[in-house]
């Protein structure tokens, strides 16, 4: 299997909403974002699919060395071999990839965040930086587009956190800030038990509404930051925004029943939203 086929299979097999947006890019940009996304999936899977934290830490350390070696001209992993031909064209730097790894390391080092400021640091590494790199691959001419992409990345990550409360609890993680659990009088053990109807109190619903409102504000802020000059080239990011915001609204319509199930959109709906965004340009 070639490196290009490897990253294609990694991206398509993930079932991510991002994949449907990538389909509308010109081939060179699609190849670059597919390789970059496959890198993000590889390091994220280290944490999610490795039960032994020590083994996961060793694997992340290997990835740090692999990134350094790749940028020194010696990539060995198929993901890095697929990505390296694109780094110069799209200003993808080693520190971008190391930041993503650092964010994944945070998943090993802590399972709680005391406040939103702490969670923002995590979102910056695993989503804000990713958004910045992606915007460069899609094509940008205005510096303000970087701020748009970073903010959108955080909105997407907060949507993931809302969707995955139950899945994360199964792994012993709670990304919802402790200070906000306290604000709404939601106990950690209620979330970790993932039970109906125990977990679905009015307090939990109010907490999740608070999280969703924050995510919506970030979507609005991101869209307001996008310069008109880059709106056409950033259509792929807008597809992601529309798909994920539709997911967020679906979760809201389901009254935040995320502890015992993973709410998602069908592949056909994701593709339709991507196509509609492509036609409308927003």
């Amino acid at each position: 299997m070639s490196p290009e086929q490897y990253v294609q299979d990694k991206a398509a097999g993930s079932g991510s909403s991002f994949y449907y947006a990538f389909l509308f890019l010109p081939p060179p940009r699609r190849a670059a974002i597919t390789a970059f996304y496959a890198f993000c999936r590889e390091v994220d899977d280290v944490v999610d699919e490795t039960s032994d934290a020590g083994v996961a830490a060793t694997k992340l350390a290997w990835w740090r060395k692999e990134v350094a070696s790749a940028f020194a001209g010696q990539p060995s992993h198929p993901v890095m071999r697929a990505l390296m031909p694109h780094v110069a064209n799209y200003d993808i730097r080693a520190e971008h990839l190391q930041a993503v790894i650092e964010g994944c390391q945070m998943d090993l080092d802590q399972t709680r965040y005391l406040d939103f400021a702490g969670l923002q640091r995590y979102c910056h590494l695993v989503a804000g930086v990713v958004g910045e790199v992606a915007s460069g691959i899609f094509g940008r001419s205005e510096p303000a587009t970087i701020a748009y992409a970073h903010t959108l990345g955080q909105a997407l990550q907060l949507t993931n956190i809302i969707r995955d409360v139950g899945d994360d609890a199964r792994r012993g993680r709670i990304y919802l800030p402790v200070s906000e659990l306290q604000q709404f009088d939601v106990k950690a053990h209620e979330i970790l038990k993932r039970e109906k109807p125990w977990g679905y109190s009015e307090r939990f619903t109010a907490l999740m509404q608070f999280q969703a409102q924050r995510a919506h504000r970030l979507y609005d802020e991101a869209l307001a930051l996008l310069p008109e000059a880059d709106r056409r080239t950033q259509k792929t990011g807008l597809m992601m925004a529309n798909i994920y915001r539709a997911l967020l609204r679906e979760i809201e319509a389901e009254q935040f029943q995320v502890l015992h199930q993973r709410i998602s959109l069908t592949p056909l709906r994701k593709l339709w939203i991507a196509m509609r965004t492509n036609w409308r340009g927003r």
Side-chain angles (χ1 to χ4, degrees):
M1 182 185 295
S2 69
E4 291 72 24
Q5 186 60 53
Y6 181 94
V7 297
Q8 175 65 28
D9 290 353
K10 187 75 176 178
S14 71
S16 170
S17 302
F18 293 165
Y19 179 71
Y20 295 89
F22 298 164
L23 296 174
F24 294 85
L25 285 167
R29 297 184 190 275
R30 185 167 68 242
I33 194 64
T34 299
F36 176 63
Y37 177 74
F39 166 81
C40 295
R41 284 257 44 93
E42 286 284 350
V43 295
D44 188 59
D45 287 349
V46 167
V47 176
D48 286 345
E49 298 180 1
T50 307
S51 56
D52 187 310
V55 173
T58 299
K59 288 183 176 181
L60 288 181
W62 182 89
W63 272 106
R64 290 188 187 93
K65 292 179 180 177
E66 170 64 8
V67 169
S69 296
F71 277 83
Q74 295 181 311
S76 62
H77 194 281
V79 162
M80 296 307 299
R81 289 166 58 198
L83 179 61
M84 292 311 295
H86 305 288
V87 297
N89 288 339
Y90 302 114
D91 192 29
I92 304 170
R93 301 189 295 274
E95 53 261 38
H96 292 140
L97 307 189
Q98 298 291 6
V100 176
I101 297 172
E102 184 183 345
C104 292
Q105 182 69 47
M106 290 180 71
D107 279 329
L108 299 181
D109 296 339
Q110 62 186 103
T111 57
R112 304 285 192 279
Y113 292 88
L114 293 179
D115 52 27
F116 184 61
L119 182 62
Q120 274 188 306
R121 169 64 180 165
Y122 171 75
C123 292
H124 160 71
L125 293 170
V126 301
V129 172
V130 172
E132 293 176 17
V133 173
S135 72
I137 294 172
F138 300 155
R140 63 174 185 250
S141 61
E142 300 288 336
T145 301
I146 298 175
Y148 143 80
H150 189 277
T151 305
L152 178 58
Q154 297 212 27
L156 299 176
Q157 185 62 28
L158 290 182
T159 304
N160 277 338
I161 288 171
I162 292 168
R163 178 196 62 194
D164 294 340
V165 170
D167 282 348
D168 292 329
R170 181 167 48 83
R171 298 184 177 100
R173 300 182 200 147
I174 300 177
Y175 289 96
L176 307 175
V178 172
S179 63
E180 294 171 9
L181 294 179
Q182 294 171 342
Q183 178 183 341
F184 290 91
D185 194 28
V186 174
K187 306 298 188 290
H189 71 82
E190 294 176 325
I191 294 176
L192 293 173
K193 283 187 175 181
R194 302 173 58 238
E195 293 179 357
K196 295 195 311 180
W198 176 255
Y200 294 116
S201 62
E202 291 182 3
R203 295 172 286 108
F204 177 78
T205 301
L207 168 66
M208 298 306 291
Q209 288 172 336
F210 181 80
Q211 306 301 318
Q213 288 165 4
R214 172 189 284 144
H216 279 303
R217 286 196 301 271
L218 282 170
Y219 282 114
D220 290 339
E221 181 183 335
L223 295 175
L225 286 168
L226 177 59
E228 192 62 36
D230 282 347
R231 184 168 291 274
R232 183 183 61 80
T233 59
Q234 295 297 315
K235 274 199 297 187
T236 303
L238 295 175
M239 292 175 193
M240 295 178 188
N242 289 337
I243 290 171
Y244 265 74
R245 206 163 192 182
L247 171 61
L248 181 58
R249 289 177 176 133
E250 186 75 16
I251 294 170
E252 290 174 305
E254 292 285 336
Q255 297 297 306
F256 301 100
Q257 300 279 300
V258 293
L259 289 174
H260 72 288
Q261 64 180 344
R262 192 175 195 265
I263 298 171
S264 61
L265 304 179
T266 65
L268 184 60
R269 188 172 175 191
K270 294 175 186 177
L271 183 59
W272 165 246
I273 293 170
M275 292 173 64
R276 185 181 62 191
T277 306
N278 189 51
W279 296 332
R280 296 169 62 189
R282 59 185 175 88

